[in-house]
Amino acid sequence: MSEMLVLCPFALDSGLLSEAARLSGGNLRALVPEGKGVMAGEYGASHIVTLAAGEIPEEGEFAAFLAENIRAWGSGMILAPATVRMRNLMPMLAWHLKAGLTADCSALRLEDGRLLQTRPAFGNSLMADIRTLSDIQMATVRPGTFRPSKCPAPSPAIETLTYVPAGRVKLLGFAPFSEGKPLSQAEIIVAGGMGVGSREGFAKLERLAQKLGAGLGASRTAVAAGFAPYSCQVGMTGVTVCPKLYLAFGISGAVQHLAGMSGSGTVVAVNQDPKAPIFDYADYGIVGDWEVIADQLLEEENL
Ligand SMILES: Cc1cc2nc3c(=O)[nH]c(=O)nc-3n(C[C@H](O)[C@H](O)[C@H](O)COP(=O)(O)OP(=O)(O)OC[C@H]3O[C@@H](n4cnc5c(N)ncnc54)[C@H](O)[C@@H]3O)c2cc1C
């Protein structure tokens, strides 16, 4: 099997690195930001390339630079987190390498030494297994899909790759879509659904989230109703999350929602309908009004 390469030049994705280390059996190269080399080794990279570069203003030029290096490395499978910048970079890189690229995968496995990539298809109504036929296979994976687990490589080799942009484009700024830590990295998530019923209800959940040091999540219908912004949407058409604790208030438990949070550690569901499907999935279920429970948690001093 040829070498697997994880590209994280802008920010290290420890979950993706862990999964790639498992799949590649340790034959894993990782391109990571300067200063993250040791951490990449802890998550299983056996050959670490740290990128010495200032701000990268133009992904097109950077893609050409990367393609030249990847050809020299001989990597046969290339994975990257589906972040905004990598979603922009990977198609250009695929063009340079004449490689097939599968975007937004939710699972990866190997068959006969080739990568089998699973992703939602046909408006998320089915999950498709995709095997690209090109010599080099490429895939992006939603951040938060894989839980990070440390599996240190025995004695990883570390080298530095220096990139100096030609300077035709100057990057004036790069602002994140939402404030604070991304939902995909939250250890606790307080999520609300249509049962929460209003923006005011979500404001209460946000106070609870702040109290618990948690991120705020929402179902698609709650987002569509304007109760919460899209950046909170969890599920097939939103963010994929794997927190240690997922508190679901007034969420019925549709498959499209579960698809985005099934990697959660412990799930606690509050719903007034004892037959709500979320109870089939939750570790702990509370049958009752979400607001009564949220108020009790807000009043609790020992949280
Ligand atoms: C192609 C496609 C993609 C989709 N992608 C997503 C996605 O990414 N994420 C997503 O979430 N959905 C997605 N959906 C929508 C999904 O099918 C469901 O419609 C949606 O998840 C339901 O949201 P909900 O649970 O908030 O609302 P509902 O299904 O309306 O459930 C509300 C729940 O609140 C309970 N409730 C009501 N009042 C209270 C109260 N006072 N206290 C406690 N409980 C109460 C009710 O008993 C009910 O179970 C998608 C659908 C399609 C077709």
Side-chain angles (χ1 to χ4, degrees), residues 186-191 204-216 245-249 268 293-294 296-303:
E187 297 212 328
I188 304 175
I189 290 178
V190 173
K204 185 172 278 190
L205 285 188
E206 196 163 11
R207 286 205 300 283
L208 179 59
Q210 273 165 8
K211 179 174 177 176
L212 297 173
L216 181 69
L245 177 63
Y246 192 86
L247 296 166
F249 290 91
V268 180
I293 306 300
Q296 284 174 0
L297 290 172
L298 279 165
E299 279 162 24
E300 179 61 56
E301 283 173 9
N302 295 325
L303 281 180

Side-chain angles (χ1 to χ4, degrees), residues 2 26 32 34 38 42 57 73 79 148 159 166 181 223 264 266 290:
S2 60
V32 297
E34 215 171 12
V38 173
E42 286 171 4
W73 296 336
L79 310 178
E159 63 180 285
K181 208 174 173 185
V223 169
S264 304
T266 302
W290 75 271

Side-chain angles (χ1 to χ4, degrees), residues 123 193-194 219-221 234-237 250 252 256-257 271 289-290:
M194 276 310 272
S219 70
R220 180 163 109 161
T221 32
V234 173
M236 268 184 171
T237 48
S252 59
Q256 294 91 349
H257 187 81
N271 197 303
D289 183 17
W290 75 271

Side-chain angles (χ1 to χ4, degrees), residues 121-125 142 192-197 202 218-223 227 230 233-239 246 248-260 270-279 286-293:
F122 291 105
N124 294 329
S125 56
R142 285 177 171 212
M194 276 310 272
V196 171
F202 265 82
S219 70
R220 180 163 109 161
T221 32
V223 169
F227 300 164
Y230 174 71
Q233 186 167 314
V234 173
M236 268 184 171
T237 48
V239 192
Y246 192 86
F249 290 91
I251 293 178
S252 59
V255 282
Q256 294 91 349
H257 187 81
L258 297 180
V270 183
N271 197 303
Q272 65 183 14
D273 175 5
K275 294 199 176 122
I278 189 90
F279 288 133
I286 302 170
V287 179
D289 183 17
W290 75 271
E291 197 162 11
V292 173
I293 306 300

Side-chain angles (χ1 to χ4, degrees), residues 35-299:
K36 297 287 180 190
V38 173
M39 198 173 168
E42 286 171 4
Y43 287 97
S46 53
H47 198 139
I48 299 154
V49 183
T50 60
L51 182 70
E55 193 48 74
I56 294 168
E58 201 217 321
E59 274 101 1
E61 184 195 309
F62 184 52
F65 167 81
L66 277 184
E68 207 179 302
N69 284 281
I70 291 169
R71 276 191 216 103
W73 296 336
S75 315
M77 293 171 226
I78 305 171
L79 310 178
T83 56
V84 173
R85 298 199 77 180
M86 291 312 291
R87 277 173 201 241
N88 192 21
L89 183 91
M90 288 289 272
M92 294 189 261
L93 188 55
W95 180 80
H96 282 290
L97 296 172
K98 298 189 173 31
L101 167 65
T102 307
D104 263 349
C105 297
S106 53
L108 299 169
R109 63 181 194 275
L110 288 179
E111 254 185 35
D112 303 326
R114 301 282 290 167
L115 199 60
L116 209 64
Q117 304 144 113
T118 305
R119 58 148 296 150
F122 291 105
N124 294 329
S125 56
L126 58 84
M127 300 301 279
D129 284 342
I130 297 173
R131 183 189 290 119
T132 39
L133 301 175
S134 50
D135 289 344
I136 299 178
Q137 296 181 289
M138 293 177 63
T140 60
V141 178
R142 285 177 171 212
T145 299
F146 302 117
R147 188 180 288 277
S149 86
K150 288 196 174 169
C151 46
S155 46
I158 303 190
E159 63 180 285
T160 303
L161 182 66
T162 305
Y163 173 64
V164 183
R168 287 176 304 180
V169 177
K170 193 169 177 333
L171 184 71
L172 298 180
F174 197 86
F177 178 63
S178 57
E179 295 292 318
K181 208 174 173 185
L183 198 57
S184 58
Q185 289 173 19
E187 297 212 328
I188 304 175
I189 290 178
V190 173
M194 276 310 272
V196 171
S198 64
R199 278 188 197 194
E200 292 70 33
F202 265 82
K204 185 172 278 190
L205 285 188
E206 196 163 11
R207 286 205 300 283
L208 179 59
Q210 273 165 8
K211 179 174 177 176
L212 297 173
L216 181 69
S219 70
R220 180 163 109 161
T221 32
V223 169
F227 300 164
Y230 174 71
S231 55
C232 293
Q233 186 167 314
V234 173
M236 268 184 171
T237 48
V239 192
T240 302
V241 296
C242 51
K244 288 184 180 153
L245 177 63
Y246 192 86
L247 296 166
F249 290 91
I251 293 178
S252 59
V255 282
Q256 294 91 349
H257 187 81
L258 297 180
M261 44 68 77
S262 57
S264 304
T266 302
V267 176
V268 180
V270 183
N271 197 303
Q272 65 183 14
D273 175 5
K275 294 199 176 122
I278 189 90
F279 288 133
D280 297 334
Y281 187 79
D283 299 286
Y284 299 95
I286 302 170
V287 179
D289 183 17
W290 75 271
E291 197 162 11
V292 173
I293 306 300
D295 283 339
Q296 284 174 0
L297 290 172
L298 279 165
E299 279 162 24

